[in-house]
Amino acid sequence: MNRTTLAGHALTASAFLLAGLLVLQLAQHGSLETPAHASMVIAQPGYTVMTARTRVDEDSFFALDNRHGTLVIYRLSARGELQPATVIDLARVFGDLDAPPQ
């Protein structure tokens, strides 16, 4: 084994050691958890999706279909199961938004 090979192995071992220490530090400070915040929003011309905490042990996923005016809500349970909660037709809730005001 020459010096270059030995140096490569030492650098690889150091990288794994540093990565392990980083994971331990993040786990101790709770930074590995990613709680849902309403600020986690993705908006595109045809749809908008976001996550939000809806109960103590439950997050929800909201998907808004901008073209059809439909809001679909899924619940993410504490066990990590995604369950459909409800589908809302926003045209029925808010009326015909394209109609002129009366």
Side-chain angles (χ1 to χ4, degrees), residues 1-2 25-27 31 34 38 41 44 49 53 56 58 63 65 67 72 74-77 80 83-85 97 100 102:
M1 188 181 298
N2 61 25
Q25 285 293 327
L26 290 174
S31 297
T34 55
V41 176
Q44 296 293 322
V49 294
R53 177 144 315 213
V56 174
E58 180 182 273
D65 181 349
R67 294 187 179 123
V72 182
Y74 296 92
R75 290 189 184 125
L76 182 64
S77 69
Q83 304 164 343
L97 297 178
Q102 296 179 354

Side-chain angles (χ1 to χ4, degrees), residues 13-37:
S14 298
F16 281 115
L17 179 66
L18 289 173
L21 290 173
L22 178 63
V23 169
L24 286 175
Q25 285 293 327
L26 290 174
Q28 286 177 352
H29 298 317
S31 297
L32 290 179
E33 296 178 13
T34 55
H37 298 286

Side-chain angles (χ1 to χ4, degrees), residues 15-98:
F16 281 115
L17 179 66
L18 289 173
L21 290 173
L22 178 63
V23 169
L24 286 175
Q25 285 293 327
L26 290 174
Q28 286 177 352
H29 298 317
S31 297
L32 290 179
E33 296 178 13
T34 55
H37 298 286
S39 63
M40 294 183 179
V41 176
I42 299 172
Q44 296 293 322
Y47 63 92
T48 303
V49 294
M50 75 174 234
T51 59
R53 177 144 315 213
T54 50
R55 293 188 183 149
V56 174
D57 288 333
E58 180 182 273
D59 293 329
S60 292
F61 173 78
F62 300 86
L64 175 62
D65 181 349
N66 298 331
R67 294 187 179 123
H68 297 102
T70 305
L71 175 64
V72 182
I73 303 171
Y74 296 92
R75 290 189 184 125
L76 182 64
S77 69
R79 295 182 302 226
E81 299 169 343
L82 192 62
Q83 304 164 343
T86 189
V87 177
I88 301 171
D89 182 4
L90 296 176
R92 287 188 181 192
V93 173
F94 294 106
D96 187 4
L97 297 178
D98 291 329

